[in-house]
Amino acid sequence: MERVTSLARPVRSAAVPARPSLAKLMADIEAMPSHPSVPLRILWLADDPRSSSSDLAKAVELDPALTARLLRMSNSAYYSLRTPVTNVSRAITVLGFSTVRSMAAAATAGLDDGSELPAGFWDHAAATANATQLVAPRYMVPGGDGFALGLLHDLGTALLCRADPEQWEIISANGENPEAEREVYGLTHPEVAARIFEVWRFSPEFTNAVARHHWRLTAREEPMTRCLIVGETIAAIAFEQLDEEALAEAHETLQAEGFQPEHVARIAARVVEEAASLAAALES
């Protein structure tokens, strides 16, 4: 889960037909609301304040794959329940609407259909989801929304990888590089995800946070954006993905946000302890 920016190999010219592949993928996903799949209906239902757990459970049960994933996740070591979860209604109670919604979004995007994903995709998603959920109260962001932000923030990398796996492997060899992504695909992974979330009716705050999660953190950013940037930064610290200079800058940024080194260390230790079980549940 390296997070540095230098390229290991030259990037292929944008004239090579990678963009049409991405354009078709984006067009297909953006057309989904015209003929919504079961996961997309679940996504919308979970966002409707009039929906009950029973309403959502009935919808989830129409999708066997999503049902199985939610049951596996709710029974994972991450939640450490004494009594096994055996039905969808109980799974929704354990996970919460925001998590169910994020899992439906992942299914809608095809992250569970066996397609190739970027290396370490679920590991990074789990670590960031965990850390973002833990810091969410500082920003008055609901914990479930913080979890969903962390879980889905790199959806764009999965879609770029699917559009051209060979080229994605080249440009991501030494970590995410939005400049190279734009050169090759015409869009960066935060922009790809933001476009999808906008079409899927996620809130502007959620969409903006995903779009701006690689921006420099400032007090002018919206709470959700700051929450996500801080969560991803702490996840990177937890798994020692920053070089000495980047680590010093990260701690300086976090201190400006009110996170003292000892506080960061406690959160990071918890992320290291908990993220692996969550990633295992997501990958299964």
Side-chain angles (χ1 to χ4, degrees):
M1 297 193 294
E2 298 263 345
R3 282 294 191 267
V4 294
T5 58
S6 62
L7 289 177
R9 289 176 277 176
V11 177
R12 181 174 70 187
S13 168
V16 177
R19 290 188 186 183
S21 176
L22 177 63
K24 183 179 186 308
L25 179 63
M26 294 287 289
D28 290 345
I29 292 177
E30 290 176 344
M32 285 179 178
S34 300
H35 305 282
S37 62
V38 171
L40 191 58
R41 292 191 186 100
I42 294 167
L43 193 156
W44 291 341
L45 191 62
D47 196 44
D48 187 341
R50 297 168 298 180
S51 299
S52 67
S53 295
S54 176
D55 295 330
L56 192 56
K58 289 176 183 176
V60 169
E61 286 167 350
L62 296 175
D63 188 315
L66 185 57
T67 295
R69 181 168 283 250
L70 293 179
L71 288 172
R72 282 198 304 270
M73 191 168 176
S74 58
N75 281 305
S76 69
Y78 182 75
Y79 290 94
S80 301
L81 299 179
R82 293 183 178 180
T83 305
V85 176
T86 58
N87 61 71
V88 173
S89 293
R90 172 64 175 152
I92 291 171
T93 300
V94 170
L95 300 175
F97 273 40
S98 292
T99 298
V100 173
R101 187 172 186 248
S102 64
M103 297 304 294
T108 302
L111 301 192
D112 59 355
D113 66 359
S115 298
E116 185 173 352
L117 293 173
F121 178 84
W122 286 121
D123 289 332
H124 180 62
T128 307
N130 194 354
T132 305
Q133 183 178 41
L134 292 173
V135 303
R138 175 69 63 92
Y139 297 97
M140 300 188 72
V141 171
D145 290 348
F147 183 91
L149 273 171
L151 194 65
L152 297 175
H153 76 287
D154 265 352
L155 173 68
T157 66
L159 298 179
L160 293 181
C161 179
R162 181 181 303 174
D164 191 333
E166 180 181 349
Q167 186 59 22
W168 176 258
E169 183 179 354
I170 293 172
I171 67 174
S172 64
N174 281 349
E176 293 173 349
N177 191 325
E179 293 81 7
E181 293 168 10
R182 188 183 302 282
E183 180 184 345
V184 174
Y185 296 101
L187 290 169
T188 66
H189 72 271
E191 291 169 343
V192 169
R195 278 179 54 175
I196 297 303
F197 291 136
E198 185 175 13
V199 171
W200 288 349
R201 305 179 189 174
F202 278 70
S203 72
E205 294 81 10
F206 189 104
T207 301
N208 288 340
V210 171
R212 299 162 77 93
H213 75 267
H214 281 298
W215 289 40
R216 184 171 294 277
L217 182 60
T218 72
R220 294 191 300 272
E221 295 291 348
E222 295 175 335
M224 274 197 174
T225 303
R226 293 166 69 192
C227 181
L228 176 55
I229 294 174
V230 167
E232 186 169 30
T233 300
I234 293 178
I237 291 173
F239 289 98
E240 301 179 349
Q241 296 161 353
L242 304 177
D243 60 29
E244 187 175 341
E245 181 180 352
L247 181 61
E249 183 179 347
H251 277 295
E252 183 178 339
T253 298
L254 292 172
Q255 281 191 281
E257 287 289 296
F259 292 88
Q260 298 303 317
E262 59 273 16
H263 189 195
V264 172
R266 286 197 299 271
I267 298 173
R270 186 167 169 186
V271 170
V272 169
E273 181 182 348
E274 297 177 354
S277 58
L278 176 58
L282 291 167
E283 287 179 308
S284 59

